[in-house]
Amino acid sequence: EENKVLGMPPVARSVLSMAFAMALHYLGYSFARPTTMALFTSATTGYAGNTAALPLAMAFISPFALVLLMGYGRVLDKFGPRGALMQTSAFCSAVLSGSAFLIVISQQQGWELFNIPFVKFISGPLFIFRESYVALLTSQYWSFIASTLSPAQSAKWFAPIAGLTSFTSVVAGLGVKKVVKKIGLPGSLLATGSMLLLSLIAANGAYSIAEKYGFNPADEHFKKQAEKESKGKPKKGKQPEAHKEESMITTASKLFKRVPVLGALFMEILTSQGLATLMNVCFITTLTSSIPDDAERAGWMGKFFALINVISMTLQFTTLPQLMRFLEPKHLWRALPLITILFTTFQSLQVDPSLYVVSASLLAMKALEYSARRMLDEMVYVPLDYESRYVGKEVIGVFGYRFGKSAMSLALSAINACFGNLGIQQLSMLTSGASFLWLSAAWKLSNLVPTRKEADEAYNKRK
């Protein structure tokens, strides 16, 4: 009782602080997403009219995510989970803020490179970075929360915690148009960088509470490090850098073999994100042709994702907590792709799908992904060991998500190169087929996901 503040015990305060940090992160991200997309699809700053530009850019997301993952692995080994989150947050804030200043200066000075406006060399890499940094940070917030709560607590609180991020995303989405009109697209990026700095402060507070009251997840990391050193300093740790990178990939491979549910989750993510990429290409292609004005397009997209988050938030605060009281996770894993298939099949049957038909399919998939799938994904990690929660989670969250998108983007680029640009109807048919691949992977995963009773037993054994 004496450790309570405002009636909340230390564990609740630390989780709330980390949830607030994640909500600030998504507040900024919800400005960055439509802003970077508007920059990328603009005729002046991006690649409007070039249908191959988006699939090509998305093909680079996976290699870049792998580079980020390698960097994260080094920082995690050296500074532990807390130091890794602090440093990666500061780095992402610096990249976004620095890009904003570069865009303004390059446009004011009229910089060109090879007779191409220099700003176009910023909007492309910035789009790729935005697709990658969100998972890098999000996985770290959830790793802390999953390490702190029990399976029973996670089933009760994961959906509302995710709902908090949906709420801030709604606020940002509804305000994007006004913000962009007032401070411009670069100003919106600068706002994202500022939100990340505030997020960093809240996340640091969560770790401080955990450290003070003896449940810091970082303790597991340093305990493992001490055990390694006590076994006899392997060559004083002076291995070549390349060997360290290879070692991390090998560690992930061994981890997936040791923990089969992680391997199945990785495959489920590849198929779901491949589908999401197809749906996103349909959406962006239809949106760009329907709304040519950059500011109007950014505002429309902001409101669209705000609607997605309103639906997600409603599910997270009302429906999902009640469902999880009597439904096993495996049933929801199977239901999500089945619902999506209804929308993608209808879209594929249209000769010329309208913006609203295409948007409805993406809305259904994203609303389910942001609400139920995000919760189910995080629940997988709660009963698992430290390596699964901090290494396996980042490999899946940062690389798996992006590899699924990049692989599908490369496939689309190859198809476009061989047969010419596909129309919306042809893309919609591919989307319908990808939905069934997701269903297959999700069904296999559902057979490996533990029941609530099994998860509790594994968690208590780990503790």
Side-chain angles (χ1 to χ4, degrees):
E1 289 292 327
E2 62 182 19
N3 292 331
K4 288 187 176 182
V5 175
L6 298 177
M8 290 192 296
V11 169
R13 297 203 310 273
S14 68
V15 169
L16 181 62
S17 184
M18 190 60 77
F20 184 60
M22 184 162 58
L24 287 170
H25 160 55
Y26 271 94
L27 178 65
Y29 175 71
S30 295
F31 282 118
R33 176 171 47 200
T35 298
T36 55
M37 187 60 74
L39 287 167
F40 187 83
T41 56
S42 169
T44 55
T45 63
Y47 306 90
N50 188 342
T51 56
L54 184 59
L56 183 62
M58 296 190 77
F60 279 97
I61 292 171
S62 180
F64 183 73
L66 185 58
V67 171
L68 281 182
L69 185 61
M70 294 299 183
Y72 166 79
R74 291 181 181 181
V75 176
L76 179 66
D77 283 341
K78 189 172 183 180
F79 299 102
R82 183 179 190 172
L85 181 53
M86 299 304 105
Q87 293 194 33
T88 51
S89 296
F91 168 73
C92 292
S93 175
V95 169
L96 292 165
S97 301
S99 298
F101 285 115
L102 265 179
I103 289 170
V104 171
I105 295 170
S106 63
Q107 287 187 303
Q108 287 178 346
Q109 300 298 321
W111 289 350
E112 289 188 351
L113 185 63
F114 307 119
N115 293 322
I116 300 172
F118 187 75
V119 67
K120 295 195 176 189
F121 292 97
I122 302 172
S123 64
L126 184 62
F127 173 84
I128 295 168
F129 177 79
R130 188 265 300 169
E131 282 282 340
S132 300
Y133 95 87
V134 60
L136 176 71
L137 299 183
T138 301
S139 292
Q140 294 180 73
Y141 300 128
W142 277 114
S143 290
F144 176 89
I145 296 170
S147 299
T148 306
L149 297 180
S150 68
Q153 291 170 326
S154 65
K156 182 178 181 181
W157 293 110
F158 272 13
I161 288 171
L164 186 60
T165 68
S166 296
F167 174 75
T168 54
S169 296
V170 169
V171 171
L174 293 174
V176 164
K177 187 174 180 179
K178 291 181 180 178
V179 169
V180 169
K181 283 192 172 181
K182 187 170 259 190
I183 61 178
L185 294 173
S188 179
L189 282 178
L190 197 58
T192 300
S194 301
M195 289 299 104
L196 282 179
L197 293 179
L198 293 176
S199 173
L200 186 154
I201 295 170
N204 191 52
Y207 269 105
S208 294
I209 295 170
E211 185 174 355
K212 181 178 179 180
Y213 291 100
F215 57 90
N216 188 357
D219 292 342
E220 293 180 71
H221 168 80
F222 293 114
K223 182 180 178 182
K224 283 181 174 290
Q225 293 289 79
E227 288 175 355
K228 284 181 184 177
E229 290 177 10
S230 68
K231 284 180 184 175
K233 305 178 182 179
K235 297 172 188 174
K236 298 201 170 183
K238 298 205 170 184
Q239 299 162 317
E241 292 296 315
H243 181 74
K244 289 182 181 177
E245 292 183 5
E246 187 179 34
S247 176
M248 184 178 182
I249 295 171
T250 302
T251 298
S253 178
K254 290 180 178 177
L255 182 61
F256 286 0
K257 290 178 181 177
R258 179 170 63 84
V259 188
V261 70
L262 292 182
L265 180 59
F266 185 80
M267 293 306 298
E268 186 275 337
I269 282 173
L270 290 185
T271 54
S272 67
Q273 294 312 299
L275 169 62
T277 300
L278 277 171
M279 298 177 82
N280 199 42
V281 170
C282 288
F283 173 70
I284 295 301
T285 302
T286 310
L287 177 64
T288 304
S289 61
S290 301
I291 308 176
D293 182 77
D294 296 345
E296 288 292 327
R297 190 166 61 256
W300 198 96
M301 186 178 288
K303 289 180 180 178
F304 173 71
F305 279 99
L307 177 60
I308 288 175
N309 282 295
V310 166
I311 296 171
S312 300
M313 183 173 60
T314 303
L315 292 172
Q316 288 159 334
F317 282 116
T318 58
T319 309
L320 289 173
Q322 298 303 317
L323 281 177
M324 293 310 296
R325 292 172 62 183
F326 60 88
L327 267 187
E328 290 291 351
K330 69 177 181 180
H331 297 129
L332 277 180
W333 275 115
R334 295 170 181 176
L336 301 185
L338 286 172
I339 295 170
T340 304
I341 282 172
L342 296 177
F343 286 87
T344 57
T345 301
F346 177 77
Q347 179 182 322
S348 68
L349 294 175
Q350 308 303 304
V351 176
D352 185 20
S354 68
L355 174 61
Y356 290 102
V357 170
V358 173
S359 299
S361 294
L362 184 62
L363 183 146
M365 199 252 183
K366 286 296 181 182
L368 292 172
E369 179 184 359
Y370 292 170
S371 57
R373 199 198 163 286
R374 183 181 292 174
M375 173 195 70
L376 293 169
D377 190 351
E378 302 306 329
M379 288 178 66
V380 169
Y381 296 98
V382 175
L384 303 182
D385 58 15
Y386 171 83
E387 194 174 43
S388 298
R389 284 179 282 119
Y390 276 93
V391 178
K393 182 168 178 50
E394 283 294 327
V395 171
I396 292 173
V398 178
F399 181 67
Y401 271 88
R402 275 57 206 163
F403 183 67
K405 291 184 176 184
S406 293
M408 182 57 73
S409 298
L410 284 171
L412 281 177
S413 296
I415 292 171
N416 286 334
C418 295
F419 305 104
N421 293 329
L422 298 178
I424 294 299
Q425 187 183 29
Q426 288 76 29
L427 286 170
S428 298
M429 290 177 178
L430 289 177
T431 299
S432 184
S435 301
F436 284 94
L437 289 178
W438 179 27
L439 174 63
S440 175
W443 205 280
K444 290 176 182 177
L445 170 63
S446 70
N447 292 327
L448 293 174
V449 170
T451 62
R452 288 195 297 270
K453 182 179 178 182
E454 291 169 343
D456 279 324
E457 289 173 352
Y459 175 82
N460 291 329
K461 184 178 179 181
R462 170 166 67 82
K463 286 295 182 179

